[in-house]
Amino acid sequence: MSAEPPSTSVAVADGQSKGARKPKYSRFSQQELHAWQPILTPSWAISIFTVIGLIFIPVGLASLFASESVVEVPFRYDEECLPPNHKNDAVAYIKDDTANKTCNKKLTVKSKMTAPVYVYYQLDNFYQNHRRYVKSRDDKQLRNKASENDVGKCSPEDYTPNEMGHKPIVPCGLIAWSMFNDTYKLSSNNKELVINKKNIAWKSDQDGKFGSDVYPKNFQAGGLRGGAKLNESIPLSEQEDLIVWMRTAALPTFRKLYGKIETDIDDNAEVMLVIENNYNTYEFGARKSIVLSTTAWVGGRNHFLGMAYILIGGISLLLAVGFLLLYVMQPRPLGDPSYLSWNRNPGCLR
């Protein structure tokens, strides 16, 4: 009595297992769906570059004209506001709390500035993007009163000195500690130009990053004062100067919004400027300026956007003209098999 060889059953089982692993047929899984596969013919390429040029150049010109319509009056005052007898010891002057820091200057506005007129302070050579500086804050502490003891990322501005009780600082960190504290007052024709400091911060920052139940504590209480002081009776969500400053800049030259003037300033008007020159930029070679500016639909004065559109549009038109000349002077049928490599060099098939 002979036994049946097991090879047949193994083959059947193996076939069943292979069939079980076979995916269910679908046109999607087998990549058989209809697809648009455009062929970039010379006429299509010329048309696309032409359309890009005809769109980008007018948009660039409109952006450039809008930027030119912005009236901007900058005034650098860090050197102008140094008393003559302190030109050579600016650091000692700015650190002297008893020295008179009030500075009176006159600006001439050559073109009419239509409200709202934005007042900015500008700092040059100030690196807010330094890694240690950017990390020197605690977002949980800024948002939540229960986290006011979370100061782990804020060294060296985390606690008050031991002789003052070693208490947590709110808000902690170098960013808040170095807050800008120069102040400006403007007037024209013996009338004060009121600077509105409401709604200068991002609404999302006020609502999401700074708590309405978080109040400053022990701020600028150490021996080394950095910048502005904060009102301890106002929550952080309402201290918009702080919120504006805490949004760190990416470049060493930056502007931050100080306030808005809600009245027009006539052309050729003389604006009297009273500056409290408190902020110490002399120690590290930074520069300070005040900037009065209007806006257009593209924002403030910035020629880069318009010039970039014009440049891209011009390059596109040049490419369109170049391809058109090449197509007219040296045409060839699309898909001509004579241009295939084995037709141009039959010897390569041997």
Side-chain angles (χ1 to χ4, degrees), residues 220-238:
Q220 302 287 12
L224 183 61
R225 178 177 171 182
K229 292 185 177 181
L230 297 176
N231 190 333
E232 295 190 355
S233 63
I234 301 177
L236 296 186
S237 62
E238 297 180 15

Side-chain angles (χ1 to χ4, degrees), residues 126-134 248-252 254:
F126 190 110
Y127 288 83
Q128 269 198 323
N129 58 353
H130 192 283
R131 182 179 63 86
R132 291 189 62 186
Y133 184 88
V134 171
T248 53
L251 300 174
F254 59 86

Side-chain angles (χ1 to χ4, degrees), residues 133-150:
Y133 184 88
V134 171
K135 293 175 66 176
S136 186
R137 61 186 291 168
D138 194 290
D139 291 322
K140 288 184 179 179
Q141 186 201 58
L142 297 173
R143 283 195 304 264
N144 192 354
K145 182 179 180 180
S147 302
E148 66 178 23
N149 292 326
D150 293 346

Side-chain angles (χ1 to χ4, degrees), residues 16 52 79 93 110 125 151 182 231 314 321 333:
Q16 291 176 348
I52 291 175
E79 293 182 351
Y93 163 75
K110 296 182 179 180
N125 198 38
V151 294
D182 284 2
N231 190 333
V321 172

Side-chain angles (χ1 to χ4, degrees), residues 17-26 29-30:
S17 63
K18 288 183 178 179
R21 291 195 299 268
K22 183 178 179 180
K24 185 178 180 181
Y25 172 80
S26 70
S29 63
Q30 298 302 316

Side-chain angles (χ1 to χ4, degrees), residues 278-290:
N278 300 313
Y279 199 64
N280 183 7
T281 57
Y282 305 99
E283 198 160 8
F284 52 93
R287 299 176 294 275
K288 298 187 290 186
S289 304
I290 179 175

Side-chain angles (χ1 to χ4, degrees), residues 27-318:
R27 298 184 66 187
F28 176 79
S29 63
Q30 298 302 316
Q31 300 183 13
E32 295 178 356
L33 292 174
H34 292 292
W36 182 51
Q37 297 177 341
I39 299 175
L40 197 61
T41 62
S43 58
W44 266 106
I46 294 169
S47 301
I48 290 172
F49 280 120
T50 303
V51 169
I52 291 175
L54 294 178
I55 292 176
F56 274 51
I57 290 178
V59 172
L61 291 173
S63 301
L64 207 56
F65 288 143
S67 178
E68 285 288 344
S69 68
V70 173
V71 181
E72 190 174 280
V73 183
F75 176 68
R76 179 183 170 186
Y77 63 88
D78 55 295
E79 293 182 351
E80 293 285 339
C81 288
L82 276 177
N85 57 330
H86 287 285
K87 292 291 185 181
N88 297 324
D89 59 346
V91 176
Y93 163 75
I94 204 69
K95 288 184 175 181
D96 186 359
D97 293 335
T98 62
N100 182 15
K101 307 291 177 58
T102 304
C103 175
N104 296 282
K105 295 295 177 182
K106 182 187 294 185
L107 298 178
T108 300
V109 177
K110 296 182 179 180
S111 301
K112 182 178 181 179
M113 304 185 77
T114 306
V117 178
Y118 294 90
V119 182
Y120 298 92
Y121 56 88
Q122 177 175 313
L123 296 177
D124 299 89
N125 198 38
F126 190 110
Y127 288 83
Q128 269 198 323
N129 58 353
H130 192 283
R131 182 179 63 86
R132 291 189 62 186
Y133 184 88
V134 171
K135 293 175 66 176
S136 186
R137 61 186 291 168
D138 194 290
D139 291 322
K140 288 184 179 179
Q141 186 201 58
L142 297 173
R143 283 195 304 264
N144 192 354
K145 182 179 180 180
S147 302
E148 66 178 23
N149 292 326
D150 293 346
V151 294
K153 301 178 182 178
C154 296
S155 180
E157 291 298 317
D158 46 4
Y159 293 99
T160 58
N162 292 331
E163 58 268 19
M164 300 184 66
H166 198 66
K167 299 176 182 178
I169 299 173
V170 182
C172 68
L174 289 174
I175 305 177
W177 175 79
S178 62
M179 178 180 164
F180 188 79
N181 63 338
D182 284 2
T183 60
Y184 310 124
K185 290 183 180 179
L186 287 78
S187 61
S188 180
N189 297 325
N190 296 321
K191 292 182 179 179
E192 182 182 2
L193 299 174
V194 179
I195 300 177
N196 182 11
K197 298 179 73 66
K198 292 290 185 182
N199 300 320
I200 62 174
W202 289 18
K203 189 67 175 174
S204 58
D205 287 353
Q206 284 186 273
D207 296 340
K209 294 185 177 181
F210 295 83
S212 59
D213 59 344
V214 182
Y215 292 81
K217 290 183 180 179
N218 308 309
F219 188 69
Q220 302 287 12
L224 183 61
R225 178 177 171 182
K229 292 185 177 181
L230 297 176
N231 190 333
E232 295 190 355
S233 63
I234 301 177
L236 296 186
S237 62
E238 297 180 15
Q239 308 225 22
E240 297 193 46
D241 284 331
L242 172 68
I243 298 173
V244 170
W245 179 257
M246 294 288 285
R247 180 168 281 277
T248 53
L251 300 174
T253 297
F254 59 86
R255 294 178 182 178
K256 291 184 182 290
L257 185 60
Y258 181 83
K260 295 179 287 186
I261 300 173
E262 305 290 350
T263 57
D264 295 346
I265 301 177
D266 295 329
D267 54 340
N268 297 317
E270 291 187 347
V271 177
M272 301 303 299
L273 181 61
V274 180
I275 303 171
E276 289 296 328
N277 184 24
N278 300 313
Y279 199 64
N280 183 7
T281 57
Y282 305 99
E283 198 160 8
F284 52 93
R287 299 176 294 275
K288 298 187 290 186
S289 304
I290 179 175
V291 181
L292 307 181
S293 177
T294 59
T295 58
W297 62 271
V298 292
R301 172 169 288 188
N302 187 354
H303 297 333
F304 174 77
L305 182 64
M307 294 176 67
Y309 268 98
I310 293 174
L311 179 63
I312 294 173
I315 292 174
S316 298
L317 283 183
L318 287 176

